[in-house]
Amino acid sequence: MAPGLPLRPEPAGPQPQPDGAESQLQPEARPRPEDTAPRRGPRPHLEPGPDGAEPELCGTKSQIPQQGPAEPHPHLELEPELEPELGPEPDGTGPQPEPKATDAGQSQRPPSPSPPPARPLPTALLTCAMAFSMLQLFLLGALGPRLVDELDISPTVLGLTTTIGFGTAAVLSPAGGRIVDRVGPRRALAALLLLSAVALALIGAAPGAGFLLAAVALGGLPQALANPATNKAILASVEPARRGAVTGMKQSGVQLGAFAAGLPLAALAGWLGWRGAVWTAAGAAVVTAVWALRTLPPDAPARTGAPPASLVPRGTIAWLAGFSLLLGCGIASVNTYLALYGAHRLDLGPGAAGALVAVLGVSGVVGRVAWSKAATPGRAEWLPGLLAAGAVGAALLLAGAAALGVLVWPGAVAVGVFAVSANAVSMVLVMQRAAPGRAGQDSALVSAGFFAGFALGPPLFGLLASADHYGWGWALVTTEFAAAGAVALTWAVRERGRGVGVGEGRGA
């Protein structure tokens, strides 16, 4: 023994062989919780003796005797090389490895089964819901000549249908958003489609102007439910990376409704009459409601007793509502008077004038899908202002067509790509910025601004068009798009300066 080393008692039991064959420990010498065998501790740090000689110990590793069942010492760690791998002896006998428990009482608990994957949300269903929400207004426009002749109503009354439809939707949108937040998207979408069916059936049964206008007013409620219900369904069932693309697709349903009214249903009216065509559309809405009830996941229990949400938009929602109001004024004016402008001022035939609206609708579908997919957080904030700037250029092209008629075609395309698409991007922003539990209400408030613009814009443009001042009319549209762009860019700069992130915008 080297001088200066403290003497330690040697443990009882078998000693390791001098040739270092400690890896040949017998199984009964292995440390187990139920054994009373000694536990091996860490190799102590030994200082060399005064003469520099190596210290000596009995055996190759120090050991600490313990009494009773072995418990882990709080300051000792087992040496990995001294823990022989458990396994059976060559003859098949010996201890078997015990299962290790990660938590007390859970060593033998079977793993819980993973929940079944959620069914994907059918984008086609949301697209159809958006189409049916506004189908009545497109049908009234496409079947207008037949209604004027059969119901003996004036063109002025026919024009009032647009104002009443969008005006009712604007007034009812805040209440519709609260309904969606309380009952859930599945119930709201089914109610939307059934209300659309009832409104269409009443339009088909209308004996005169008063009944017709009342049915159109009822159809404002499906419009008020459309954006809140579809947006809420996307937030509940679509992963964030795909929400922009799905939103663009479902927003293109508005243009799909215009296509259905102008082509297949208008052709059906020539065979079954205009009432038969409208009733066919009502039946299709009922079928789509059944599809929604069978496809969409169940809603959570309806919320009762929740404090009423504010009907006044604030923060980001107020900015988007103001932007949508100005944007809606310009888009509705173009939708209403573009074909008439082509026929009266540009000497286009009826077919070519109607094709202008079709070109606008197709470009709107493409633009809504593409720009909504591009509206990722950090980029989406700037898109409304940039798209409004493009819409200003589109309005200038339409005004310039009075001097060079061919400009009306790229002007119509640009209105669809920029102005019509900007509304879909604003819906993406609502979903990114809506407060928890308020996606339906916030969507409704922004939609109310858009619908109010649709109700206000055409009458203002109509006053100028009636006096054959189309140039002033396009100047008005240009001003509305420019004002919308100023609102959107001011908000985007303000948000960037405040560093507001996704989900924080409503209180901005």
Side-chain angles (χ1 to χ4, degrees), residues 4 10 25 78 114 162 187 227 288 356 404 435 439 463 485:
E10 294 186 5
L25 294 176
L78 295 177
S114 58
T162 299
R187 299 185 187 99
N227 277 316
T288 309
L356 283 174
L404 185 61
L463 294 174

Side-chain angles (χ1 to χ4, degrees), residues 238-318:
V238 179
E239 60 272 19
R242 293 187 58 245
R243 286 174 185 167
V246 174
T247 301
M249 286 298 300
K250 68 99 174 174
Q251 291 294 125
S252 69
V254 176
Q255 277 68 40
L256 176 64
F259 172 82
L263 190 60
L265 290 175
L268 188 63
W271 177 40
L272 297 178
W274 73 268
R275 296 183 190 274
V278 175
W279 286 333
T280 300
V286 173
V287 172
T288 309
V290 174
W291 179 22
L293 289 173
R294 292 177 61 87
T295 303
L296 295 176
D299 293 317
R303 292 167 49 195
T304 58
S310 173
L311 300 183
V312 178
R314 295 186 178 89
T316 290
I317 303 305

Side-chain angles (χ1 to χ4, degrees), residues 96-186:
Q96 300 298 321
E98 295 182 355
K100 295 184 179 180
T102 58
D103 196 2
Q106 294 183 358
S107 59
Q108 302 300 327
R109 182 177 299 173
S112 58
S114 58
R119 290 179 295 180
L121 182 70
T123 306
L125 174 59
L126 302 185
T127 305
C128 289
M130 293 297 296
F132 278 111
S133 71
M134 294 183 63
L135 183 60
Q136 58 164 347
L137 297 178
F138 294 126
L139 271 175
L140 290 173
L143 304 178
R146 300 176 185 270
L147 270 69
V148 168
D149 293 340
E150 185 169 333
L151 297 182
D152 193 22
I153 60 176
S154 67
T156 302
V157 171
L158 184 64
L160 280 176
T161 59
T162 299
T163 300
I164 289 178
F166 282 108
T168 304
V171 172
L172 295 179
S173 282
R178 291 176 60 182
I179 291 172
V180 172
D181 281 332
R182 288 188 178 184
V183 305
R186 180 174 178 266

Side-chain angles (χ1 to χ4, degrees), residues 201-478:
L202 293 176
I203 289 173
F211 197 99
L212 177 67
L213 293 177
V216 170
L218 175 63
L221 185 53
Q223 288 179 253
L225 294 172
N227 277 316
T230 52
N231 288 353
K232 193 105 174 171
I234 290 173
L235 285 174
S237 304
V238 179
E239 60 272 19
R242 293 187 58 245
R243 286 174 185 167
V246 174
T247 301
M249 286 298 300
K250 68 99 174 174
Q251 291 294 125
S252 69
V254 176
Q255 277 68 40
L256 176 64
F259 172 82
L263 190 60
L265 290 175
L268 188 63
W271 177 40
L272 297 178
W274 73 268
R275 296 183 190 274
V278 175
W279 286 333
T280 300
V286 173
V287 172
T288 309
V290 174
W291 179 22
L293 289 173
R294 292 177 61 87
T295 303
L296 295 176
D299 293 317
R303 292 167 49 195
T304 58
S310 173
L311 300 183
V312 178
R314 295 186 178 89
T316 290
I317 303 305
W319 286 93
L320 290 176
F323 167 76
S324 298
L325 171 66
L326 295 165
L327 186 74
C329 285
I331 294 176
S333 298
V334 176
N335 286 346
T336 304
Y337 291 100
L338 180 59
L340 195 62
Y341 174 63
H344 288 182
R345 292 296 302 272
L346 306 182
D347 298 326
L348 296 179
L356 283 174
V357 180
V359 167
L360 188 155
V362 171
S363 61
V365 170
V366 175
R368 284 187 167 194
V369 173
W371 287 116
S372 296
K373 188 174 182 179
T376 56
R379 179 191 296 171
E381 293 82 1
W382 299 99
L383 285 181
L386 297 176
L387 293 176
V392 169
L396 292 176
L397 286 174
L398 295 178
L404 185 61
V406 71
L407 292 179
V408 73
W409 296 100
V413 171
V415 169
V417 170
F418 295 109
V420 174
S421 303
N423 174 247
V425 172
S426 67
M427 287 295 108
V428 175
L429 276 166
V430 169
M431 287 188 285
Q432 292 176 355
R433 298 300 189 93
R438 286 263 326 217
Q441 179 73 3
D442 289 349
S443 299
L445 292 174
V446 174
S447 298
F450 192 65
F451 294 148
F454 262 70
L456 295 174
L460 296 175
F461 193 103
L463 294 174
L464 298 171
S466 298
D468 201 28
H469 294 319
Y470 279 99
W472 287 106
W474 297 127
L476 174 63
V477 171
T478 302

